[in-house]
Amino acid sequence: MIKGRNYILMVCCILFFFGCSKKAGVIAEPIPEEKPVHPLISGVNWADARDNFVDGWVIPSGLEASDNYASAAIKSESIYNGVIANLAGVNAIRLPVNPPSVSDSWWAAYQATIDQALAKKLKVILCCWESSSSKNGMIDNMDAFWQMWTTILNKYGQQNEVYIEVFNEPYGYTLSQLSAIYEQFLSKFPALPKNRILLSGTGYAEDVTGIGADARFKDCLLALHNYAFWNTRSQSEWEANWRVRYGAYSSRTVITEFGAGMSTGKNYTGAVGSDNEIAYIIGSTNVFRNSNLSSVYWPGIRDGDSYSLLSRSGSGGDMKLSVVNPSGVTRLRFGWGY
């Protein structure tokens, strides 16, 4: 009997031991690291070397006015290959348009730039710029403006990955005037899904709260800009400043322009110190990540621009892109959730 009891006790101890060990093993398994949420749009601007405020056609750096569809497609593919290779996680490109670019012969070639982006699984934001000679924060010619968007939407209106940013930096309009233009846009193009329409905030697209609060636009996205050269602030002040600019509308806001000097050698992953641009980039990308804000850097590619994140070399189908400032790329991708 004693030996039997000892046997039973031994079996129970073994079962208890292994049961505890198994349970302990489960508890000891590493908890998977929480994956950050990536925003709807994580992109860069591809801009004209003259800036996108031009009289005539907008021609992003690397393209030429003599290009036809085939040559523009080859060059665009080279650019997008470089963007994707150097900016892991990028999913969007913002391209300029204006009435001359769409109404003239350039449109036949320029469509290749859009088509190649879509072929690379990139979202495309098409944004209207005013001309250089006018440059007053207002649409140059309303009839030409409406015809431009009609032509574009006849071609790309059914393409789910093409987003329409109605007008860039509309600082010439009051809130009520701008709202009236946006209402007219929605009326003219009712078939275009609202969640593919970007409405710039007032001023230099610097505040989206007025447009965001308007019930007529509740299903539209909002385009917001903010730059370090506009003011000098600490990192925490830049973070607070962004939050004021988008208010209660973070889920609908897309930062379609932000940027700072990249060719200056500044370290955007180091200490902030007293440098306003470093405070701005770190503060901005902190806010983008924490609020899951979509963001599009200005510019990703633009020849001769000290803010450009990537530099271009070569020509035609052999164009190559290289990173100007690795710390800038790190912070950009951090803002995207990586």
Side-chain angles (χ1 to χ4, degrees):
M1 291 293 295
I2 294 173
K3 290 177 69 174
R5 284 199 298 269
N6 287 343
Y7 177 80
I8 292 170
L9 286 170
M10 181 179 71
V11 170
C12 289
C13 287
I14 290 171
L15 291 173
F16 178 80
F17 175 81
F18 280 104
C20 288
S21 295
K22 185 176 181 181
K23 191 177 291 185
V26 171
I27 293 171
E29 287 179 1
I31 299 172
E33 183 180 349
E34 183 180 0
K35 294 181 179 179
V37 177
H38 302 298
L40 172 69
I41 292 172
S42 305
V44 295
N45 283 267
W46 183 12
D48 192 309
R50 303 165 294 174
D51 204 347
N52 294 336
F53 298 99
V54 294
D55 297 329
W57 305 344
V58 281
I59 306 173
S61 296
L63 302 182
E64 297 173 286
S66 59
D67 281 326
N68 56 25
Y69 185 95
S71 61
I74 291 170
K75 294 175 181 180
S76 297
E77 183 180 21
S78 289
I79 291 291
Y80 297 138
N81 285 342
V83 169
I84 292 167
N86 286 291
L87 305 176
V90 66
N91 72 6
I93 197 83
R94 183 173 181 247
L95 295 170
V97 293
N98 62 16
S101 299
V102 177
S103 63
D104 295 347
S105 59
W106 177 237
W107 178 236
Y110 197 34
Q111 289 175 65
T113 306
I114 302 167
D115 296 343
Q116 283 299 309
L118 296 173
K120 296 291 182 182
K121 308 302 182 185
L122 293 172
K123 303 176 193 294
V124 177
I125 300 173
L126 298 177
C127 179
C128 177
W129 260 259
E130 61 177 311
S131 65
S132 177
S133 57
S134 296
K135 206 168 184 184
N136 56 3
M138 302 176 75
I139 296 163
D140 297 335
N141 180 301
M142 291 303 298
D143 289 339
F145 175 79
W146 295 127
Q147 184 56 55
M148 175 198 72
W149 283 126
T150 298
T151 300
I152 290 172
L153 292 174
N154 283 344
K155 174 69 176 179
Y156 295 105
Q158 301 301 313
Q159 180 58 254
N160 289 333
E161 300 304 307
V162 174
Y163 293 74
I164 302 301
E165 190 172 345
V166 178
F167 188 63
N168 179 70
E169 298 185 345
Y171 61 88
Y173 297 109
T174 65
L175 175 59
S176 61
Q177 291 169 334
L178 186 60
S179 299
I181 292 171
Y182 290 159
E183 183 179 34
Q184 192 174 2
F185 183 94
L186 298 185
S187 176
K188 282 183 175 291
F189 307 109
L192 182 63
K194 305 296 189 296
N195 62 1
R196 286 170 46 209
I197 300 172
L198 280 152
L199 305 179
S200 292
T202 50
Y204 288 85
E206 64 199 71
D207 187 327
V208 300
T209 57
I211 297 297
D214 194 317
R216 293 172 292 180
F217 314 128
K218 63 182 179 63
D219 298 318
C220 297
L221 300 176
L222 307 168
L224 179 62
H225 296 179
N226 196 5
Y227 282 103
F229 68 84
W230 289 357
N231 212 322
T232 300
R233 298 184 173 96
S234 67
Q235 177 188 321
S236 61
E237 287 170 340
W238 277 115
E239 292 175 8
N241 183 256
W242 277 110
R243 290 190 286 269
V244 168
R245 293 177 186 275
Y246 63 73
Y249 309 104
S250 61
S251 64
R252 294 162 54 199
T253 297
V254 181
I255 313 301
T256 55
E257 286 188 28
F258 81 103
M262 290 295 155
S263 62
T264 54
K266 292 184 179 181
N267 182 6
Y268 291 108
T269 56
V272 173
S274 59
D275 192 291
N276 185 51
E277 286 192 319
I278 295 176
Y280 162 85
I281 288 291
I282 293 178
S284 299
T285 50
N286 282 349
V287 169
F288 302 166
R289 184 185 182 93
N290 293 336
S291 298
N292 194 32
L293 284 167
S294 293
S295 62
V296 185
Y297 181 84
W298 176 274
I301 315 102
R302 181 185 171 212
D303 293 350
D305 191 330
S306 64
Y307 280 33
S308 189
L309 203 59
L310 303 170
S311 63
R312 184 180 65 86
S313 61
S315 61
D318 295 323
M319 279 191 287
K320 298 289 187 288
L321 299 182
S322 59
V323 172
V324 175
N325 188 323
S327 70
V329 172
T330 297
R331 288 307 306 189
L332 176 67
R333 296 187 68 251
F334 179 85
W336 290 345
Y338 292 95

